[in-house]
Amino acid sequence: MEKYKLIAMSGSLRKQSFNTALLHSIIELARDDFDVDIVSIELPLFNDDLIDPDEPEEVASLKQTIREADGLLIVTPEYNHSIPGVLKNAIDWLSLEPGTPLRDKPVMIAGASPGLLGTARCQIHLRQVFATNRANVLPGNEIFVTHCKGKIDDSGLHDEQSITQIKKTLSEYYKWIEFWKRNAKN
Ligand SMILES: Cc1cc2nc3c(=O)[nH]c(=O)nc-3n(C[C@H](O)[C@H](O)[C@H](O)COP(=O)(O)O)c2cc1C
């Protein structure tokens, strides 16, 4: 089976981030089918004026990296019932036409929160933002790691129910990428 190349972003810059730890566990669970590279989303604050004459080098390079990947994996916390600013800032940079690398890109989303809803509200907003950019977010297959303080530690994710859900979602995501590749050829 062909291994797909994913670019991954954590929506948290925190060193002890639950979401970055979750991302590393997802990468481990995905390793038979996917090669995953984590990219930094520490970009300048979006400003249309910075695009003229050229966008910042790190933005151009991130766009190219995503363009070359088979899919984009987002693992993020929820801030104030929505998308953390640092991640939204990166998406705003990536969304610019011409040549947004988000267009037609298969996207998978996951998140962890110490709370009851496990980033559900943020993920709804992300789906809306990606739809605007005509990215192909994997339908259904939502990964919400709720009450994550008891499930994720320094060595990663230890919750069997979440692990089962992630494995199932990764398998669906593989098929989702395959589907869009077939579709693109026809
Ligand atoms: C500014 C801010 C807003 C937050 N808003 C939410 C929220 O709306 N929903 C939620 O579940 N947790 C919220 N939290 C708590 C985060 O889920 C928690 O800090 C989590 O550990 C952040 O993810 P990380 O560990 O990956 O950095 C918020 C935290 C911060 C700092």
Side-chain angles (χ1 to χ4, degrees), residues 10-21 75-82 112-122 148-149:
S10 168
S12 174
L13 303 182
R14 218 164 63 80
K15 282 196 187 68
Q16 296 297 315
S17 161
F18 290 113
N19 284 278
T20 305
V75 184
T76 183
E78 171 179 290
Y79 284 173
N80 296 305
H81 296 185
S82 191
S113 158
L116 186 65
L117 294 180
T119 76
R121 292 159 296 206
C122 167
C148 69
K149 283 185 178 164

Side-chain angles (χ1 to χ4, degrees), residues 45 68 70 96 113 143-144 169 182:
L45 283 181
E68 289 166 6
D70 298 307
L96 285 186
S113 158
I143 300 176
F144 308 132
T169 301
R182 253 197 333 267

